[in-house]
Amino acid sequence: VSSSEQVADLFRFMDTQYGGIDVLINNAGVGVLRPISDLSVSDWHKTIETNLSGVFYCCREAIQRFAPRGGGYIINVGSLAGKNAFAGGAAYNASKFGLNGFSEAVMLDARNENVRVSHIMPGSVATEFGGQTAESGSDWKIWPEDIAEIVRGLLLMPKRTLISRVEVRPAKPKR
């Protein structure tokens, strides 16, 4: 998603193969977690381009296609790191803080055009993010299936209702 040309190609493929899209879920993300003094310029660009620019590229393509279809739904999956910074997360935090602001602005721009925009901000999810295995700590983390259920719930909401932001935390975090 970090290439605007490849994103445009994907959406053109969706147009020709499937007649377009009704829902966009932005869930791609990378995180290079290290102190700023150890963060390379390429790691910074990789993080911002994937986590923030990629969402922009996808949203722009989707919104252009939603109008002729009468509307659509965009769900951006971010992170609680977008409101709670942590040491070693400068690029990741910046990308997720930006994603929160971007999501809210797009929601305000698009909601009168029948495009709903929500963003989900999960805490620790049992995935392979950050070089861990999906199982490491999965006894206390949120499971990916939990986030999928939230997405499903958002999509099932009546069109008159918009849940703009969902914060999700582990019920019993490790102490």
Side-chain angles (χ1 to χ4, degrees), residues 37-102:
S37 57
D38 297 332
L39 189 68
S40 71
V41 171
S42 65
D43 288 339
W44 171 267
H45 285 289
K46 176 182 174 181
T47 304
I48 298 299
E49 284 298 308
T50 301
N51 297 358
L52 189 55
S53 298
V55 175
F56 162 69
Y57 302 147
C58 290
C59 286
R60 185 180 60 147
E61 293 292 332
I63 287 173
Q64 292 172 0
R65 288 160 169 80
F66 285 160
R69 300 175 71 81
Y73 206 135
I74 296 171
I75 299 174
N76 295 328
V77 180
S79 171
L80 283 175
K83 68 179 267 187
N84 303 310
F86 58 89
Y92 186 73
N93 290 135
S95 71
K96 297 305 180 175
F97 271 80
L99 178 58
N100 289 343
F102 176 80

Side-chain angles (χ1 to χ4, degrees), residues 78-153:
S79 171
L80 283 175
K83 68 179 267 187
N84 303 310
F86 58 89
Y92 186 73
N93 290 135
S95 71
K96 297 305 180 175
F97 271 80
L99 178 58
N100 289 343
F102 176 80
S103 297
E104 290 178 22
V106 173
M107 180 269 296
L108 294 171
D109 284 346
R111 69 182 178 179
N112 287 322
E113 307 303 320
N114 296 319
V115 176
R116 294 186 289 169
V117 179
S118 299
H119 66 284
I120 302 171
M121 300 165 58
S124 297
V125 181
T127 65
E128 296 174 4
F129 180 81
Q132 299 179 340
T133 64
E135 294 79 27
S136 69
S138 64
D139 56 332
W140 65 270
K141 291 181 179 180
I142 301 162
W143 287 14
E145 294 86 349
D146 302 335
I147 303 305
E149 189 62 30
I150 292 167
V151 169
R152 183 177 172 278

